[in-house]
Amino acid sequence: MPPPIRFTLTEDEVSIAYSVHGEGPPLVIVRGWISHLDLQWMFPDYRIFMEALGRHFTVIRYDMRGNGLSARDCASRLTLDDLTLDLFALVDALQLGPATYMAMC
């Protein structure tokens, strides 16, 4: 069963989808722009890898604006600053302190 999907709003009021599973220190998965929390979990290799990470970390995944389960009506306006707002919203929503960030394509 996939982890529950939650939503938070960015400073510019864009809805960002995220999920949290596992136990341990926080590990934020920063994907490339294209992602979909539900669809990725359906791929067995991806799910097995994320479940293994969850045995050692609290794994935090999210869909950046414009794709996946996050707001899609903002895809015509994407800048690095906008994508940074997505990450800041996630950190604020979860009140994360020190965390590890892992970039994935």
Side-chain angles (χ1 to χ4, degrees):
M1 174 176 239
I5 306 296
R6 299 177 186 138
F7 295 88
T8 190
L9 287 177
T10 63
E11 185 178 291
D12 58 347
E13 299 192 9
V14 173
S15 178
I16 301 298
Y18 70 94
S19 70
V20 178
H21 76 278
E23 295 183 24
L27 173 65
V28 180
I29 306 294
V30 182
R31 294 255 336 148
W33 183 68
I34 297 173
S35 68
H36 193 296
L37 293 174
D38 277 344
L39 293 179
Q40 289 169 329
W41 200 261
M42 290 179 177
F43 290 99
D45 292 341
Y46 181 86
R47 183 180 61 250
I48 289 167
F49 179 63
M50 288 296 138
E51 289 172 337
L53 285 176
R55 288 192 286 276
H56 305 280
F57 297 95
T58 298
V59 179
I60 302 155
R61 301 178 303 128
Y62 69 103
D63 289 335
M64 292 182 188
R65 65 181 66 209
N67 68 99
L69 299 172
S70 291
R72 292 186 157 196
D73 57 348
C74 57
S76 62
R77 188 195 78 130
L78 281 174
T79 67
L80 185 56
D81 288 339
D82 295 326
L83 300 179
T84 302
L85 288 177
D86 299 352
L87 183 56
F88 286 169
L90 184 67
V91 168
D92 287 346
L94 295 172
Q95 299 179 340
L96 287 178
T100 300
Y101 295 84
M102 184 171 93
M104 296 180 74
C105 293

